[in-house]
Amino acid sequence: MDTLKLKGLIIAAGMTQKEVAKKIGISTNTLSNKINGVREFTVGEVIQICDILDITSNAEKAEIFLA
């Protein structure tokens, strides 16, 4: 997982982690744990995050979530 890239994309989208967490239906703490590798994202959460942040490239998705 490329933590810095995901955090950067959230900021570039003009959003906070709190806003992203709310949109995908998890707590801010849970999202933080997932971004920092303490817990794993579900496939559904990855899809939702990609939709929210307009990440459409499969290569970019892999770079962020499979790094």
Side-chain angles (χ1 to χ4, degrees):
M1 165 113 201
D2 189 337
T3 301
L4 293 177
K5 183 162 179 97
L6 181 56
K7 287 179 178 179
L9 289 171
I10 291 170
I11 292 167
M15 299 183 77
T16 64
Q17 288 185 30
K18 182 177 182 177
E19 291 169 320
V20 173
K22 185 175 180 178
K23 285 182 179 272
I24 66 172
I26 62 175
S27 72
T28 305
N29 189 45
T30 298
L31 178 63
S32 179
N33 284 338
K34 291 181 181 216
I35 289 174
N36 292 312
V38 176
R39 297 178 64 187
E40 290 186 9
F41 283 104
T42 66
V43 172
E45 290 166 344
V46 170
I47 291 169
Q48 287 179 299
I49 290 169
C50 289
D51 288 344
I52 292 165
L53 300 178
D54 197 31
I55 303 167
T56 57
S57 163
N58 286 335
E60 188 173 22
K61 291 174 188 179
E63 183 181 317
I64 296 166
F65 293 101
L66 301 177

